[in-house]
Amino acid sequence: MKKGSDRFMALIVQKFGGTSVADAQRIANVADIVTQAYRAGNDVIAVVSAQGDTTDDLEAKGREIDPSPSRREMDVLVAAGEQISAALLSMAIQRMGFPAVSLLGWQVGLETTSAHGEARIRRVREDRIRKELDQRRIVVVAGFQGIDRSGDVTTIGRGGSDTSAVAIAAAMHADLCQIYTDVDGVYTADPRKVPGARKLDTISYDEMLELATLGAQVLHNRSVEMAKKYNIQLEVLSSLTRKPGTIVKEKRNMEKMLISSVTKDENSARISVIGVPDRPGLAFKIFSCLAAKGVNVDVILQSIGRNGTKDISFTVTTDKMEEAIGLLQEHLETWGATSIVSDENVAKVSIVGAGMETHPGVAAQMFEALFGENINIQMISTSEIKVTVLVNKKDADLAVRAIHEKFFGAD
Ligand code: ASP
Ligand code: MG
């Protein structure tokens, strides 16, 4: 933080998601939040998403013209959503009597790779934003969009505005990056499903990264990765309640909590390759055939060999199931495997917590909670700070509640 002559000044990046800017009234509310930070003497950069379902609607419009449209043109189309939000917010701030300027991705020099629709951020130029801040203007930046080396408009993947905000915070050496959304923080479980769920005051980058990857929809996982890399402190909070949210930072407080959160992900399908010859190299062949086509594999389980064969099971996201089966089918005979079995009615239930690194028996407690509800575990996978089980989809909510109660007690 820089100390001004008569005021304590910080540089704050505030990101507002689609629900926070959904209509004129919400935009006025956001303008109020932004100007409050500005009036307190801070430099403020607001990064905005498209309003409500605008991005979905624009995508649908494009597909109405061409079911598989040019990815370059699609980026020009969907980037319009954030352009609209940026202009509207800037107007709302000006209307309140404060100086503001809206800037698009190319204007702030947010340079990306050329992978349209899923571009990676290479860098953000500092100069234009700095120039505006130096004039004491509130800078409103369109999230989600950038520009590649040939000068074409790109977008950085659905949900990417969080990552735009963190990239800008890193480039500008911001003191804090606030992510305003429609939930007021990160919880020990989904509060809509688990009545006793509690809001966390803090969570570590690593825990948040696991959660973001495991289907908690609070933050884009690349934004957490980047925040960790550049040590940007994040705060997840609601634009509607205006209460302190959850701080994401390097280490959380020494709270006596074994785990931070229980989460489920229903976007998973299980595929098993049955009767694979029990020989070296077959796992390699199966997974490289999928990897070559960009099919990501998650939890993997290999059975003990019997009669010279084994079964190899793994999970993929639901939308990749058909493609994966097709790819495997092509090679099944050459590999000498018998058949492929798949199941979409599965869900991943996970616990995440830095506490399990130092405390044995956390997985056993989770399994005990599942046993208590007579829920069968199909697959298990672990990392230092995570245990994931695959269960029948119909058991998933009950599993989350039972595990939550085991670790956090009833309400
Ligand atoms: N508007 C984009 C989307 O809906 C980016 C974002 O909201 O973060 O995916
Ligand atoms: Mg989002």
Side-chain angles (χ1 to χ4, degrees):
M1 298 213 189
K2 289 169 278 178
K3 256 199 186 352
S5 49
D6 54 350
R7 57 197 171 104
F8 192 58
M9 191 178 82
L11 171 54
I12 304 177
V13 174
Q14 299 183 318
K15 182 259 169 177
F16 298 94
T19 40
S20 298
V21 294
D23 53 38
Q25 199 191 336
R26 295 271 173 92
I27 288 177
N29 172 58
V30 166
D32 197 53
I33 295 174
V34 172
T35 52
Q36 204 177 322
Y38 176 86
R39 280 194 319 248
N42 302 297
D43 281 339
V44 186
I45 303 168
V47 178
V48 286
S49 288
Q51 296 184 279
D53 297 327
T54 302
T55 310
D56 288 333
D57 296 346
L58 289 171
E59 270 190 6
K61 262 195 213 305
R63 290 190 203 288
E64 216 179 302
I65 303 285
D66 180 350
S68 50
S70 140
R71 294 168 71 89
R72 181 193 181 280
E73 302 313 330
M74 206 58 171
D75 272 356
V76 176
L77 180 63
V78 295
E82 272 68 15
Q83 173 162 350
I84 293 171
S85 298
L88 293 176
L89 178 58
S90 187
M91 286 176 194
I93 295 169
Q94 290 171 4
R95 168 107 181 130
M96 288 176 71
F98 295 91
V101 59
S102 66
L103 296 173
L104 303 181
W106 67 269
Q107 291 175 295
V108 302
L110 193 144
E111 290 171 18
T112 72
T113 62
S114 300
H116 287 289
E118 51 187 17
R120 296 273 161 164
I121 300 176
R122 285 190 205 275
R123 62 178 225 148
V124 182
R125 297 178 63 94
E126 236 188 298
D127 42 354
R128 179 65 195 267
I129 297 180
R130 183 69 61 200
K131 203 177 99 197
E132 302 294 348
L133 293 175
D134 285 347
Q135 316 255 346
R136 274 299 281 160
R137 292 199 179 111
I138 293 168
V139 180
V140 183
V141 182
F144 183 51
Q145 50 168 270
I147 187 171
D148 72 3
R149 283 192 174 144
S150 32
D152 284 334
V153 172
T154 55
T155 64
I156 62 171
R158 294 303 305 267
S161 297
D162 295 343
T163 304
S164 306
V166 175
I168 290 168
M172 303 305 297
H173 307 283
D175 298 292
L176 176 65
C177 182
Q178 294 182 312
I179 308 283
Y180 284 88
T181 174
D182 50 356
V183 293
D184 56 4
V186 183
Y187 277 75
T188 53
D190 183 343
R192 290 164 302 187
K193 296 266 169 64
V194 182
R198 300 199 308 257
K199 194 174 81 187
L200 298 166
D201 293 332
T202 60
I203 189 166
S204 71
Y205 293 123
D206 289 332
E207 291 170 312
M208 192 62 232
L209 198 53
E210 292 279 13
L211 284 178
T213 315
L214 287 166
Q217 312 223 296
V218 210
L219 284 174
H220 196 223
N221 58 358
R222 273 159 57 198
S223 73
V224 185
E225 235 166 51
M226 196 181 288
K228 178 180 158 81
K229 184 167 167 196
Y230 294 100
N231 199 20
I232 303 289
Q233 184 160 311
L234 297 179
E235 182 178 12
V236 178
L237 68 178
S238 160
S239 58
L240 303 172
T241 64
R242 303 214 190 173
K243 286 196 292 241
T246 301
I247 302 273
V248 189
K249 60 181 189 180
E250 192 50 53
K251 280 267 178 286
R252 64 196 173 89
N253 296 343
M254 302 302 289
E255 291 171 273
K256 284 260 168 283
M257 270 204 291
L258 278 183
I259 70 165
S260 294
S261 195
V262 190
T263 177
K264 77 161 178 183
D265 181 1
E266 294 193 335
N267 182 25
S268 258
R270 179 171 50 85
I271 298 177
S272 301
V273 187
I274 311 289
V276 181
D278 200 2
R279 282 200 314 267
L282 275 151
F284 162 65
K285 284 179 186 160
I286 290 174
F287 293 116
S288 55
C289 131
L290 296 170
K293 297 285 182 196
V295 176
N296 240 328
V297 169
D298 194 21
V299 186
I300 300 177
L301 183 75
Q302 176 176 302
S303 72
I304 295 283
R306 62 189 131 65
N307 307 326
T309 69
K310 60 194 173 190
D311 304 335
I312 295 182
S313 304
F314 54 88
T315 61
V316 294
T317 53
T318 320
D319 60 324
K320 292 284 182 183
M321 188 180 80
E322 292 303 331
E323 187 185 353
I325 294 173
L327 289 167
L328 296 168
Q329 212 89 50
E330 281 174 35
H331 298 91
L332 209 58
E333 258 192 61
T334 1
W335 294 335
T338 324
S339 58
I340 295 169
V341 182
S342 65
D343 187 357
E344 266 187 283
N345 285 313
V346 294
K348 282 191 290 186
V349 173
S350 309
I351 55 174
V352 171
M356 60 180 95
E357 264 182 310
T358 43
H359 290 78
V362 174
Q365 286 188 50
M366 178 190 195
F367 303 154
E368 189 186 4
L370 295 170
F371 171 56
E373 296 295 343
N374 207 20
I375 294 171
N376 189 43
I377 301 172
Q378 301 184 11
M379 293 167 111
I380 301 171
S381 106
T382 65
S383 77
E384 276 124 46
I385 61 164
K386 175 199 81 173
V387 183
T388 296
V389 296
L390 196 75
V391 299
N392 197 306
K393 200 178 264 179
K394 72 169 179 19
D395 294 332
D397 285 329
L398 179 59
V400 170
R401 281 200 300 275
I403 295 165
H404 189 271
E405 180 158 353
K406 179 108 207 146
F407 286 96
F408 298 99
D411 321 41

